Amino acid sequence: DQQVKQNSPSLSVQEGRISILNCDYTNSMFDYFLWYKKYPAEGPTFLISISSIKDKNEDGRFTVFLNKSAKHLSLHIVPSQPGDSAVYFCAASGYYGGSQGNLIFGKGTKLSVKP
Amino acid sequence: EADIYQTPRYLVIGTGKKITLECSQTMGHDKMYWYQQDPGMELHLIHYSYGVNSTEKGDLSSESTVSRIRTEHFPLTLESARPSHTSQYLCASSEGGGGNTIYFGEGSWLTVV
């Protein structure tokens, strides 16, 4: 059973507009959340993170929002640029049971930003 | 920026061959990981290590093995490759466990024919 879910496999946005990527999780023990960006032939690149004590974290064009009660987080990219076109992975971690604090990843959302 | 390196980037080998995927990091991170990803799927943790002489199996069962003789080096070995091993293998490292960002290498694409 997936603990981290990205229900939209793909998203298409016009350049300059906002991109909103969503992620849901089921494990209430998760306390640290991250977003990674991945191009096809490369490894994932860390974008931004948020701990469960916060509900928002901002870094330049990227903002992550965390809604703990809904077990939902989102990544906002404003303004979107063609170079943002990639697959975005949501990941979560926490110390519980045998987790060892390891990251659990979603399946990713492919973002296409059109000029 | 992460300094973690994987070789080879791309490898095509025949069934039954032994292969080793190399991974090195220069950040002095204690924890290292190997993930496997098939196209369009999530990343699955197959091995991790807390430090020298420590290796643990991840969430996804894998026929590969790993070793951690030096802090900076975490190679992955397949004794006898099969077509089902065709995948992208991603090495990563972090300062510690939960609450720490992990940094990935560029990945090794393995194709077994």
Side-chain angles (χ1 to χ4, degrees):
Chain A
D1 188 31
Q2 271 196 295
Q3 296 188 70
V4 178
K5 300 178 185 179
Q6 293 178 257
N7 293 318
S8 298
S10 63
L11 175 67
S12 183
V13 171
Q14 206 67 33
E15 180 179 6
R17 306 295 284 268
I18 185 171
S19 295
I20 300 176
L21 296 108
N22 294 303
C23 178
D24 296 298
Y25 60 96
T26 58
N27 192 332
S28 58
M29 299 299 289
F30 287 148
D31 59 8
Y32 188 60
F33 305 88
L34 307 90
W35 284 94
Y36 286 84
K37 172 181 176 180
K38 186 178 185 297
Y39 294 116
E42 298 179 9
T45 302
F46 168 71
L47 270 178
I48 192 168
S49 63
I50 188 167
S51 76
S52 59
I53 62 173
K54 292 186 173 183
D55 54 20
K56 177 183 174 181
N57 189 25
E58 201 170 344
D59 184 2
R61 295 186 299 115
F62 302 93
T63 303
V64 56
F65 295 91
L66 175 63
N67 183 334
K68 289 186 289 295
S69 60
K71 294 193 181 69
H72 177 84
L73 64 154
S74 61
L75 174 68
H76 293 209
I77 306 174
V78 183
S80 301
Q81 300 172 354
D84 296 329
S85 297
V87 177
Y88 289 77
F89 288 95
C90 172
S93 72
Y95 277 101
Y96 56 91
S99 75
Q100 306 300 329
N102 291 325
L103 286 181
I104 306 294
F105 283 84
K107 287 189 176 182
T109 297
K110 184 177 181 179
L111 174 66
S112 299
V113 180
K114 298 182 178 180
Chain B
E1 195 61 39
D3 292 313
I4 181 163
Y5 308 100
Q6 290 186 240
T7 58
R9 291 290 316 280
Y10 302 94
L11 180 63
V12 180
I13 61 167
T15 298
K17 299 290 186 184
K18 177 180 178 180
I19 62 130
T20 296
L21 303 180
E22 302 287 349
C23 176
S24 295
Q25 50 97 4
T26 59
M27 297 169 284
H29 285 168
D30 286 326
K31 202 164 179 183
M32 294 188 75
Y33 313 78
W34 277 102
Y35 284 84
Q36 182 176 344
Q37 191 206 8
D38 293 328
M41 301 298 290
E42 61 265 58
L43 283 72
H44 287 290
L45 181 65
I46 53 175
H47 299 283
Y48 61 101
S49 165
Y50 289 108
V52 172
N53 294 325
S54 153
T55 61
E56 304 286 343
K57 291 203 177 286
D59 306 320
L60 182 69
S61 175
S62 173
E63 293 170 343
S64 59
T65 59
V66 292
S67 62
R68 190 92 182 271
I69 298 172
R70 303 197 313 267
T71 298
E72 63 272 21
H73 195 214
F74 192 40
L76 179 146
T77 298
L78 274 166
E79 290 292 335
S80 179
R82 293 205 301 270
S84 61
H85 296 139
T86 295
S87 189
Q88 185 182 33
Y89 293 85
L90 294 155
C91 182
S93 71
S94 68
E95 286 188 6
N100 286 283
T101 300
I102 72 169
Y103 297 95
F104 286 87
E106 292 192 323
S108 292
W109 277 103
L110 173 65
T111 302
V112 184
V113 296

